[in-house]
Amino acid sequence: MAVPLHVHQPEAADARSLSDRAYYAIRRLIVSLELPPGSIVNERELMERLGLGRTPVREALRMLAQQHLVEVYPRRGIFVSSVDARDLAGLSEVRLALEVAAARLAAERATAQDREACAELLEELERAADGRDERALIELDQRIHHHVYDCTHNPFFARTLEEYYVLTLRIWFLALDRVARLEDAVREHRELLTAIRAGDAEHAADVMRRHVDGFERAIREVL
């Protein structure tokens, strides 16, 4: 059996309520495609799998419905949301506005500790630059985007960015075996982290714009 794709969600470690624990666990199953698009969501199976009661699972599914990861149909049940090219276009419009602004803010607001973390991520990029370990590069992509969000020092902005990144990540996983753009992503991430370390807001924004645009074009070609 194939090892599930990794979904980086550090917030899950801080989840205090049972509903939050259920939310992060079910979201991981959906984004990693363990629960594929269009599949029916069985509450009882989730309760048994997660070791949680009906109330936290239902509350988690309600939150996931608000984020367009599941769809609720009265008398028919709950289904994992489907994915099509229109989703990608809409997400790309939103991400262009948000991620470009985030990159600019990150360069303007990064602390000395943030810049040190950028340097550590750059070292990881160098080690992963040959692109042979695709899963490692995807996991690193997730951590780099999260770091950019953290560097904005705006938790409201970071939560919004995370919500849309997760939706995009699921589309990426769906198209993974048909998309070969990881080398471009490595180069763009290197530029992005370097710009944030240098406090070059406009360069960081420009790199992020190219990154989101390039991703959207690459995925559109195979959807």
Side-chain angles (χ1 to χ4, degrees):
M1 182 176 178
V3 177
L5 291 158
H6 176 72
V7 180
H8 183 65
Q9 40 184 18
E11 310 88 350
D14 298 323
R16 296 182 180 179
S17 71
L18 294 178
S19 295
D20 285 344
R21 284 174 52 193
Y23 164 77
Y24 285 113
I26 299 169
R27 188 177 75 164
R28 179 187 61 77
L29 294 173
I30 292 171
V31 176
S32 69
L33 309 179
E34 289 186 68
L35 291 177
S39 62
I40 191 165
V41 177
N42 186 305
E43 285 186 9
R44 183 164 296 280
E45 286 182 3
L46 285 175
M47 290 162 55
E48 293 175 357
R49 183 170 186 169
L50 304 179
L52 295 170
R54 185 180 301 276
T55 298
V57 167
R58 284 189 171 176
E59 179 62 20
L61 291 171
R62 184 188 65 79
M63 291 188 285
L64 291 163
Q66 291 175 344
Q67 295 178 3
H68 309 291
L69 283 168
V70 300
E71 297 171 345
V72 181
Y73 296 96
R75 295 181 298 279
R76 286 183 55 201
I78 302 173
F79 296 81
V80 177
S81 299
S82 59
V83 173
D84 62 31
R86 289 170 297 181
D87 296 323
L88 178 63
L91 281 171
S92 294
E93 285 184 358
V94 175
R95 289 188 68 220
L96 271 174
L98 295 179
E99 298 255 9
V100 170
R104 183 179 287 110
L105 284 176
E108 293 171 348
R109 297 178 177 177
T111 64
Q113 186 175 2
D114 293 332
R115 290 193 292 273
E116 184 177 335
C118 284
E120 292 171 358
L121 288 167
L122 281 165
E123 290 179 5
E124 286 193 59
L125 272 174
E126 290 304 315
R127 292 194 293 270
D130 60 17
R132 285 194 291 268
D133 190 343
E134 193 172 64
R135 286 173 177 259
L137 279 172
I138 293 169
E139 196 272 340
L140 187 53
D141 178 279
Q142 295 178 59
R143 288 194 286 120
I144 288 171
H145 279 271
H146 277 81
H147 182 59
V148 173
Y149 307 159
D150 288 342
C151 286
T152 67
H153 294 281
N154 182 330
F156 302 102
F157 203 7
R159 280 197 294 271
T160 303
L161 287 158
E162 164 66 12
E163 179 180 335
Y164 288 105
Y165 179 84
V166 161
L167 293 171
T168 305
L169 183 63
R170 185 168 72 125
I171 296 175
W172 188 7
F173 286 164
L174 277 169
L176 188 59
D177 60 341
R178 292 165 286 163
V179 176
R181 196 182 174 273
L182 291 179
E183 289 183 7
D184 291 338
V186 168
R187 184 180 65 253
E188 289 158 356
H189 286 145
R190 188 182 295 119
E191 278 191 74
L192 175 63
L193 291 169
T194 300
I196 290 172
R197 283 186 74 196
D200 190 340
E202 291 311 311
H203 188 198
D206 179 63
V207 175
M208 185 64 89
R209 184 179 295 106
R210 285 188 276 120
H211 181 64
V212 175
D213 265 339
F215 176 84
E216 195 266 350
R217 288 195 301 272
I219 299 294
R220 182 177 295 281
E221 289 177 1
V222 299
L223 277 186

